Amino acid sequence: QTVSSLKKPLKQNEPCKRLALYYHDIMFNGTNVANATAATVANETRLGDFKFGKLVVFDDPMTKDAQLSTPVARAQGFYFYDMKTDYNAWFAYTLIFNSSDYKGTLNIMGADMMMEETRDLSVVGGTGDFFMARGIVTFRTDAVAGAAYFRVQMDIKLYECY
Amino acid sequence: QTVSSLKKPLKQNEPCKRLALYYHDIMFNGTNVANATAATVANETRLGDFKFGKLVVFDDPMTKDAQLSTPVARAQGFYFYDMKTDYNAWFAYTLIFNSSDYKGTLNIMGADMMMEETRDLSVVGGTGDFFMARGIVTFRTDAVAGAAYFRVQMDIKLYECY
Amino acid sequence: QTVSSLKKPLKQNEPCKRLALYYHDIMFNGTNVANATAATVANETRLGDFKFGKLVVFDDPMTKDAQLSTPVARAQGFYFYDMKTDYNAWFAYTLIFNSSDYKGTLNIMGADMMMEETRDLSVVGGTGDFFMARGIVTFRTDAVAGAAYFRVQMDIKLYECY
């Protein structure tokens, strides 16, 4: 029998793998080369008062705890602000694991609706230990220090594991 | 028995969900803050005469009809022009639904070969009511008003629904 | 019986389709409009000495052999550099096929860890002859000529074919 579409019973509360990590974004201010992990590559436009269009490239540490301890992964990619009436962002990036626990990458994209308590982005692919993975990453802002630093808890839930 | 790859009988004309919406892109010209929904964040280069490299960030309304009526979703993301010899673009964005019909997001990327009558991009993931969705979005240019405005019909066809 | 997650026996060495192609990136230097296939749209920042943040848009030929012969596909998208301590990049792009062999696109994203001999990115979707495809692309740098040109072998392995 031929079926034309798939409806599999995936359950949102039963991922096949789950990792909760903290993302630390330390903005380059022109002088903090040693510490900075992210830099502005295109300035905000004058469309609204919430940095619309500001584009940031990052190579950010991912840690197990909220403290900025030894990273267990790197997050490499970019985000930009994209709303006139509030702070709101859009992300695309790769999580790179190279530890005794995991070697491989996860590729992620989606909207970061910062005014929401939590927001979901898509894990659209993976390599290495995460070969062909798919899933969801739930963002929760954990700390903000003006324009200098912010920290996001990223709760990574994979629903396709191979 | 072990199989090493999948060949499932998906049919292109039988999506498990389908939504046809209109995307409205209203460029910021420096003065139309109230109406504009998109802004240039990196200017075109001098490689050819078709705006090669011009990068635009948008937070665009999606409507059910071609008229710019009450949006049923937002499209947040970016596009850039990328051809020397004709207008051609590349998109990555998120459709954000927050209505009584749907709550959730769809994440989309692909080439917008504007010289073609229609062109297909990929739905690479989804969240909320579109949890783990995949599919195709078919673009068809519906209206263009110089550099100020354009409208694209986006025919969203999901083939993986959960 | 309901299962909450999938663990299918995909084998990394048995893709359902495989294509090895060469990507040629010829940078625009302000004068080589006829030959150039890529242009800088945002300049590098001063975060480190490895072009952190430099953003390049490309419409690059893909060939069967290492020589820059008749393209069998185009690669349209962007990359940017994103490391303070070495050259490292991040790519998102579409492979566009329009030949007697294949008509359709493949959408790809991921980290290009240039210091590694090979690195894997994700094929996150496809259209046309590659309808709904997923897989892995393995990058291997094949040639570099300063800032003017580089060539990467892209070994495309699809594990979901429809």
Side-chain angles (χ1 to χ4, degrees):
Chain A
Q1 191 190 349
T2 295
V3 292
S4 64
S5 59
L6 301 175
K7 284 196 176 278
K8 299 172 212 145
L10 287 187
K11 289 182 183 170
Q12 297 207 28
N13 58 350
E14 295 183 14
C16 48
K17 193 183 288 285
R18 187 168 186 175
L19 286 169
L21 300 174
Y22 290 85
Y23 165 99
H24 303 263
D25 193 72
I26 305 166
M27 283 298 298
F28 180 50
N29 60 17
T31 60
N32 61 339
V33 172
N35 292 326
T37 62
T40 301
V41 301
N43 291 317
E44 63 198 75
T45 68
R46 291 179 295 114
L47 182 55
D49 299 317
F50 298 91
K51 302 188 184 175
F52 194 106
K54 181 186 175 83
L55 173 62
V56 173
V57 167
F58 59 80
D59 175 12
D60 282 354
M62 302 291 299
T63 60
K64 280 192 179 167
D65 301 308
Q67 289 75 35
L68 188 42
S69 52
T70 306
V72 297
R74 307 293 302 182
Q76 298 185 341
F78 69 101
Y79 63 81
F80 53 81
Y81 295 91
D82 62 356
M83 193 175 272
K84 285 194 292 187
T85 55
D86 204 343
Y87 287 109
N88 196 74
W90 196 90
F91 276 72
Y93 63 104
T94 301
L95 290 178
I96 302 173
F97 296 82
N98 186 15
S99 69
S100 54
D101 287 342
Y102 299 109
K103 292 192 195 310
T105 70
L106 289 171
N107 291 310
I108 295 163
M109 64 180 269
D112 178 18
M113 295 168 278
M114 296 161 66
M115 67 290 286
E116 305 288 337
E117 168 82 21
T118 62
R119 46 276 181 193
D120 288 345
L121 289 78
S122 293
V123 180
V124 298
T127 69
D129 289 343
F130 304 102
F131 176 67
M132 293 294 284
R134 291 184 73 229
I136 302 284
V137 181
T138 301
F139 278 27
R140 186 181 58 75
T141 303
D142 195 56
V144 178
Y149 172 77
F150 68 89
R151 182 170 67 235
V152 173
Q153 191 201 43
M154 296 186 177
D155 187 358
I156 303 154
K157 291 159 282 188
L158 304 182
Y159 297 95
E160 296 191 19
C161 304
Y162 294 93
Chain B
Q1 190 190 350
T2 295
V3 292
S4 64
S5 59
L6 302 174
K7 284 196 176 277
K8 298 172 212 144
L10 287 187
K11 288 183 183 171
Q12 297 207 29
N13 57 351
E14 295 183 14
C16 48
K17 192 182 290 288
R18 187 168 185 174
L19 287 168
L21 300 175
Y22 289 86
Y23 165 99
H24 304 263
D25 195 71
I26 306 166
M27 282 299 297
F28 180 50
N29 60 18
T31 60
N32 61 341
V33 172
N35 291 326
T37 63
T40 301
V41 301
N43 291 317
E44 63 198 76
T45 68
R46 290 180 296 115
L47 182 55
D49 299 317
F50 298 91
K51 302 189 183 174
F52 194 104
K54 181 186 176 82
L55 173 62
V56 173
V57 166
F58 58 80
D59 175 13
D60 281 354
M62 303 290 298
T63 60
K64 280 191 178 166
D65 300 309
Q67 289 75 34
L68 188 43
S69 52
T70 306
V72 297
R74 307 293 302 181
Q76 298 185 341
F78 68 101
Y79 61 82
F80 52 81
Y81 295 92
D82 62 357
M83 193 175 271
K84 286 193 291 188
T85 54
D86 204 343
Y87 287 111
N88 196 73
W90 196 91
F91 276 72
Y93 64 104
T94 301
L95 290 179
I96 302 174
F97 295 83
N98 187 15
S99 69
S100 54
D101 287 343
Y102 298 109
K103 292 192 195 310
T105 70
L106 289 171
N107 291 310
I108 294 163
M109 64 181 269
D112 178 19
M113 294 168 278
M114 298 161 66
M115 67 289 288
E116 304 289 336
E117 167 82 23
T118 63
R119 46 276 182 195
D120 288 346
L121 289 79
S122 293
V123 180
V124 297
T127 69
D129 288 344
F130 304 103
F131 177 68
M132 294 293 285
R134 291 184 73 229
I136 302 283
V137 181
T138 300
F139 278 28
R140 186 180 58 74
T141 302
D142 194 57
V144 177
Y149 172 76
F150 67 89
R151 183 168 68 234
V152 174
Q153 190 202 45
M154 296 186 177
D155 187 357
I156 303 154
K157 291 158 282 188
L158 303 182
Y159 297 95
E160 297 192 19
C161 305
Y162 294 93
Chain C
Q1 191 190 349
T2 296
V3 293
S4 65
S5 58
L6 302 174
K7 283 197 177 279
K8 298 172 213 146
L10 287 187
K11 288 183 183 169
Q12 296 207 28
N13 58 351
E14 294 183 15
C16 48
K17 193 182 288 286
R18 187 168 186 175
L19 286 168
L21 300 175
Y22 290 85
Y23 166 100
H24 304 263
D25 194 72
I26 306 166
M27 282 299 296
F28 179 50
N29 61 18
T31 61
N32 61 339
V33 172
N35 292 326
T37 62
T40 301
V41 301
N43 291 317
E44 63 198 76
T45 68
R46 291 179 295 113
L47 182 54
D49 299 318
F50 298 91
K51 302 188 184 176
F52 194 105
K54 181 187 176 82
L55 173 62
V56 173
V57 167
F58 58 80
D59 175 13
D60 282 354
M62 303 290 299
T63 60
K64 279 192 179 167
D65 300 308
Q67 289 74 36
L68 188 43
S69 52
T70 306
V72 296
R74 308 292 302 182
Q76 298 185 341
F78 68 101
Y79 62 81
F80 52 81
Y81 295 92
D82 62 356
M83 193 174 272
K84 285 194 292 188
T85 55
D86 203 343
Y87 286 110
N88 195 73
W90 195 91
F91 276 72
Y93 63 104
T94 301
L95 290 179
I96 302 173
F97 296 83
N98 186 16
S99 69
S100 54
D101 287 342
Y102 299 108
K103 293 192 196 307
T105 70
L106 288 171
N107 291 310
I108 294 162
M109 64 181 270
D112 177 19
M113 295 168 278
M114 297 161 66
M115 68 289 288
E116 306 288 336
E117 169 82 23
T118 63
R119 46 276 181 195
D120 288 346
L121 289 80
S122 293
V123 180
V124 297
T127 69
D129 289 344
F130 304 102
F131 177 67
M132 294 293 285
R134 292 184 72 229
I136 301 283
V137 181
T138 300
F139 278 27
R140 188 181 57 74
T141 303
D142 194 57
V144 178
Y149 172 76
F150 69 88
R151 183 169 67 235
V152 173
Q153 190 202 44
M154 297 186 177
D155 187 358
I156 303 154
K157 292 158 282 188
L158 304 182
Y159 297 96
E160 296 191 20
C161 306
Y162 294 93

